[in-house]
Amino acid sequence: MGFLANKRALIVGVASDRSIAWGVAKAMHREGAELAFTYQTEKLRPRAEKFASTVESDICFPCDVGSDEQIDNVFKELDNYWDGIDIIVHSVAYAPREELNGLYLDTVTREGFAVAHDISSYSFSALARAGRDMMSGRNGALLTLSYIGSVRAMPGYNVMGLAKASLEANVRYLAQSLGPENIRVNAISAGPIRTLAASGIRGFKKMVEYYEKMVPLGRSVTIDEVGNVAAFLCSDLASGMTGEITYVDAGFNIVGMSDRFLE
Ligand code: NAD
Ligand code: 0WE
């Protein structure tokens, strides 16, 4: 029996078979969890339904996380299928594309700042609030995805770095808020992975090349490697962990200088 047997998980953020959320969904399914999915726009609905079916799920709801109404609706609808929920995975980020290229100070705007923080950080709290009643009394777990640009200045990540810093603080405050209800809240800080969110980012290929030279493992991480850690963090195996930011980055965050530069 898998270590997520009898667990029910809502996965927010599958857009393609390269999505980190898809790696999470596959790992959770393998470990025995029952899954439900949301999709951002109607355009993505057929794709979401196809992905759901490959992990034996027929539960898919629309959810733009910028809308409280749509977030509330997800849990109203879910109530018709499940009597409770154990896991919510938040794998969503957005900032206006123009603000992810060039120097931070040359690109940041009041509007872009607000949108980035709303969609990439506040939405995690919004999901936690809306899902709280269905999660109570069952060793629940919330998980989100972050990036090291939250704590180090990285070229071009810009306002997203500020939004991820907010998201990571969000993890700590949600952990403190929900601890008394035995709901744990954690994040994975993943290394760069070529997903839709990374496509069209200027210099992304060069960034991955640099990263592969820097990291102890000498290679990038995969969505399946992130998915395995996600499944663990949301399982009872991690019952003593909350408020934690766990790096799944081939060791990037611990390196000062790579030996490879002396070769
Ligand atoms: P992805 O494009 O596959 O997923 C991003 C998801 O965000 C998509 O499903 C998209 O529909 C969703 N989204 C954006 N705005 C939304 C909104 N308003 N409402 C609902 N959904 C919305 O890319 P990904 O790389 O899998 O990104 C998932 C998470 O992983 C993000 O939080 C990202 O910051 C994080 N992350 C990515 C990397 C990387 O290099 N790819 C590294 C570390 C962390
Ligand atoms: O979190 C991310 C990307 C999130 C993201 C991606 C987009 C592209 C499309 C947020 N908003 C948008 N808006 C769009 O219009 N990553 C960790 C991947 C990423 O993005 C970068 C990176 C890395 C790594 C942007 C600049 C520099 C590095």
Side-chain angles (χ1 to χ4, degrees), residues 13-16 18-21 40 44 63-66 91-94 119 145-147 157 160 164 190-193 195-198 204:
V14 177
S16 79
R18 292 182 169 196
S19 291
I20 294 176
Q40 185 186 351
L44 289 168
C63 184
D64 184 319
V65 299
S91 187
V92 170
Y94 179 79
I119 302 303
L145 271 300
S146 193
Y147 178 61
Y157 201 59
M160 267 311 304
K164 290 300 194 190
I193 300 176
T195 61
L196 284 179
F204 189 81

Side-chain angles (χ1 to χ4, degrees), residues 181-197:
E181 295 165 41
N182 203 27
I183 298 171
R184 298 178 301 103
V185 187
N186 291 293
I188 290 175
S189 181
I193 300 176
R194 187 163 285 290
T195 61
L196 284 179

Side-chain angles (χ1 to χ4, degrees), residues 9-15 21 35-41 44-45 48-49 52 59-65 70-71 74-75 78 89 92 127:
L10 175 69
I11 314 278
V12 180
V14 177
L35 305 180
F37 294 86
T38 68
Y39 50 89
Q40 185 186 351
T41 60
L44 289 168
R45 177 208 282 270
E49 287 175 346
I59 317 180
C60 280
F61 308 116
C63 184
D64 184 319
V65 299
Q70 289 188 32
I71 289 176
V74 168
F75 293 95
L78 206 50
V89 177
V92 170
L127 282 169

Side-chain angles (χ1 to χ4, degrees), residues 46-234:
R47 229 190 286 175
E49 287 175 346
K50 194 194 80 193
F51 285 125
S53 72
T54 68
V55 288
E56 298 173 283
S57 166
D58 59 357
I59 317 180
C60 280
F61 308 116
C63 184
D64 184 319
V65 299
S67 158
D68 287 332
E69 194 188 319
Q70 289 188 32
I71 289 176
D72 285 340
N73 189 56
V74 168
F75 293 95
K76 269 193 208 124
E77 293 285 334
L78 206 50
D79 201 42
N80 298 323
Y81 292 83
W82 293 348
D83 57 4
I85 175 169
D86 303 288
I87 296 166
I88 300 174
V89 177
H90 171 273
S91 187
V92 170
Y94 179 79
R97 183 177 288 281
E98 321 79 81
E99 302 199 11
L100 298 176
N101 181 28
L103 295 177
Y104 168 69
L105 193 54
D106 293 337
T107 57
V108 69
T109 65
R110 190 182 295 274
E111 170 69 9
F113 184 102
V115 170
H117 284 71
D118 182 24
I119 302 303
S120 313
S121 179
Y122 177 72
S123 64
F124 190 43
S125 316
L127 282 169
R129 275 181 86 142
R132 189 176 188 175
D133 283 347
M134 280 189 85
M135 287 190 96
S136 77
R138 28 193 309 155
N139 304 334
L142 300 176
L143 183 80
T144 187
L145 271 300
S146 193
Y147 178 61
I148 196 170
S150 61
V151 286
R152 312 261 185 90
M154 301 293 273
Y157 201 59
N158 299 352
V159 73
M160 267 311 304
L162 282 75
K164 290 300 194 190
S166 164
L167 178 68
E168 292 180 12
N170 212 330
V171 167
R172 293 183 282 272
Y173 278 91
L174 287 175
Q176 194 163 53
S177 299
L178 293 169
E181 295 165 41
N182 203 27
I183 298 171
R184 298 178 301 103
V185 187
N186 291 293
I188 290 175
S189 181
I193 300 176
R194 187 163 285 290
T195 61
L196 284 179
S199 73
I201 299 294
R202 238 183 109 200
F204 189 81
K205 190 166 166 238
K206 280 205 170 124
M207 273 182 256
V208 172
E209 282 165 12
Y210 171 79
Y211 163 90
E212 290 182 340
K213 288 199 189 97
M214 281 291 280
V215 293
L217 295 181
R219 61 167 178 84
S220 301
V221 295
T222 65
I223 60 167
D224 298 309
E225 290 176 312
V226 176
N228 284 334
V229 176
F232 160 72
L233 285 173
C234 293

